[in-house]
Amino acid sequence: MKGAMQPRPFMVAGPGGPMPPPQQFGLVETRPPLAAVLRPWFNIPGLHPSAAAASAVGKIASTYDLVEPMRFLYVHVVKARDLPGVSAAGTIDPFVEVKLGNFKGTTPVLGANHNPSWQQVFAFSATHLQAHVLEVAVKAKDLAGGDDLVGRVGFDLAEMPIRVPPDSPLAPQWYRLEAKRGDKLPRGEIMLSVWLGTQADEAFSDAWHSDAHGAAGPAAIASTRGKVYFSPKLVYLRVATIGAQDLVPLDASRPMNAVVKLQLAGQVRRTRPGAPLGTLNPIWNEEFMFVASEPFDEPLFITVEDRVAPGRDEPLGRIVLPLNAAMPRHDHFGKPVDPRWFSLARPSDDPEKKEGKFASKIQIRMSLDFGYHVLDESTYYSSDLQPSSKHTRKPSIGILELGFLGARNLIPMKGKDGRTTDAYCVAKYGPKWVRTRTILNTLNPQWNEQYTWEVFDPCTVITVVVFDNNQIGCKNGDARDESIGKVRIRLSTLETDRVYTHFYPLLALKPSGLKKTGELHLAVRFTCTAWVNMIALYGRPLLPKMHYAQPISVMQLDYLRHQAMQIVAARLSRAEPPLRREVVEYMLDVGSHMFSLRRSKANFYRITSLFYGFVATTKWYDGIRSWRNPITTVLVHMLFLILICYPELILPTIFLYMFMIGLWNYRYRPRHPPHMDTKLSHAELTHPDELDEEFDTFPTNRPADIVRMRYDRLRSVGGRVQTVVGDLATQGERAHALLSWRDPRATAIFIFLSLVIAIVLYVTPFQVLMVIGMLYLLRHPRFRSRMPSVPFNFYRRLPAKSDILL
């Protein structure tokens, strides 16, 4: 199957090898032998590219059809019984060694156990089989340094049973242990099962893999396994501090300056000093929002403090409130939350002592707002827009399937250690995170793993990142996994029921510049199951209703998003194996809010590109009024006269024109998912110092002369922006000066002309005025002067406030 050329700038690759891309950072479309593409060919002999894998592909086509089938030899070691003692005391510390060629895997050692149970699965890739016999040996750990062989069992690979889901798991059997010479031992049996399967087997994710045999230690082996994670359920906690009564001052000779400190886990907020100053019954009326996560085991600490000096606060009273004391709100139509009075405990009081008759009080209003969606990603490429409340969530509209086929030409991340790269992928869509297994010491890993997500909104983005696993060989576990590249795919740009298979360029922007770190091979398919609901979503609000009924300020949303990211990172880092904090933070773009001169330039040119259509229209109009093409100008005159005579055709003509343009552009529609645009990002030709500034820490740790140079550069850029903003303000102030009598002569002229124009417009038919105006604007250049027009000159002479600025 040979590659066929596709429209530029993308190339098609076949199983025989992809053709080189026409540009360094472009996509490469591929045609891998996937079941989703080759399913109609299964019953036609001679058309499948791999006859050996045809049957396996056909069986897993229904659930695992976006990846190529990979065969594995699975060995499930269940337990052993009646093992003989090997020590002088008659005990044994057994473990099992599974060996196939040069690959060897072992179970944990179980001390002093004649009937051990391991329940461990080993998976050997069929592409790396180096022997025809599988050997399973039971050994005893010897503290002297050597391991004693207890017994062994051998299996001929030519007689292995084949199992493909949804078949039931293969039943394990008891096997009598043999000595080295093949004689049956009088004691000792092992229960295990051996079969040939694919990556669709349910034992695949928890198995010990032969391609991770270089990992030393249980923790390192666990870090190489593929897993599925879920973000914790996050909810906004709204707390309003209204006021307090009967506060007891620490020093009666000094007026009290009471503030309230609220703390939920690591989130701390403080109110302003209560009013009026010095009162024992202060009023605050301030509202704060926190991010809480289920199971809501963190209480809310509320402390009333007396600000005795700047940076020094003395506690007056404290209360600890569990989050179940807050009223749950699922929408904005419910019952309003009533404030409640709570007694404050003095700092010197014994917490186990019963409440006295007199105590200071504080009035608090608390609610858990389930109607919001807690943002933990940027709103521009969010993967989840559902509210926290299950009662108000929208139904599912489809399924997203993603196949991690492999990668190629990855850069060696461990060249100093004599290794290449230990690569794995992480994908996030909605609350579901997936992590592929780690393929050790290769620049061209092949994962062939497929995952599925429910889709609730098509205007969402899935994020895929390739990381290098640095936990292999790390003793203390403090090594950070390094990112290799990131891919984002917006679902609304995908056609439904179409399989997209591409090599996505992996790009890394470092202080040294932009670097291509490899290519990621993905297969993506979006299947719609509710067309009517999906079309209706385009007319509904993007976020839940509470975001519009009770909006949250942009500054507060940014703070809450940062807190939500910290909670998600902390929770997923406690999983086993952990999804490390640096991985979660990179996936969620923690540092995207930091200043970058490169991104500022990119956003500026994005804004200017929006005016290209207006500029093109202006150039077209200038060509018409300049009579560069007399035939076109005459046709425009005729069209304009028709629209003036029949004004009811104006709007239908405009919308028909847009329909025809959209229909014409259909043949040029994008046929591939969008990818990272290096030119739009201004990443290719960025100055190295600008990149160094972008990756600088906050606060900076650069030398003073570099900081001074960057500050002067920022002042220069700010000066140009200041000039542009001042020019815009000047034009607006001139329009305001038309009727403000700041220039009495200009205002008198304008209002007199306004009266004349009003009379002329009243007595003259509208069509006549439009025809006269059109003929004047489109007059031949022979009757046009090169000097500025009278209205333009009049407007430029109007006063602005720029002359009264200091």
Side-chain angles (χ1 to χ4, degrees), residues 110-132:
L110 301 182
N113 196 331
H114 292 270
N115 300 287
S117 176
W118 290 284
Q119 296 289 347
Q120 186 167 349
V121 180
F122 299 85
F124 297 88
S125 176
T127 59
H128 298 143
L129 295 182
Q130 301 173 340
H132 299 285

Side-chain angles (χ1 to χ4, degrees), residues 658-671:
M658 290 190 291
F659 170 77
M660 296 302 297
I661 291 178
L663 201 61
W664 176 262
N665 290 338
Y666 179 76
R667 58 183 298 186
Y668 305 108
R669 69 191 185 278
R671 301 179 184 273

Side-chain angles (χ1 to χ4, degrees), residues 40-88:
W41 300 354
F42 286 149
N43 297 325
I44 304 178
L47 288 184
H48 199 279
S50 177
S55 60
V57 174
K59 291 182 180 179
I60 67 172
S62 59
T63 57
Y64 236 64
D65 58 348
L66 291 185
V67 293
E68 298 181 40
M70 298 180 66
R71 292 184 298 165
F72 290 89
L73 175 65
Y74 290 98
V75 181
H76 183 197
V77 180
V78 182
K79 57 184 177 180
R81 66 184 180 186
D82 196 23
L83 296 180
V86 296
S87 65

Side-chain angles (χ1 to χ4, degrees), residues 214 412-422 440-442 469 472:
M413 304 290 290
K414 299 183 174 70
K416 297 181 180 180
D417 302 332
R419 298 171 55 82
T420 55
T421 301
D422 305 324
L440 300 186
N441 201 25
T442 178
N469 193 338
I472 310 300

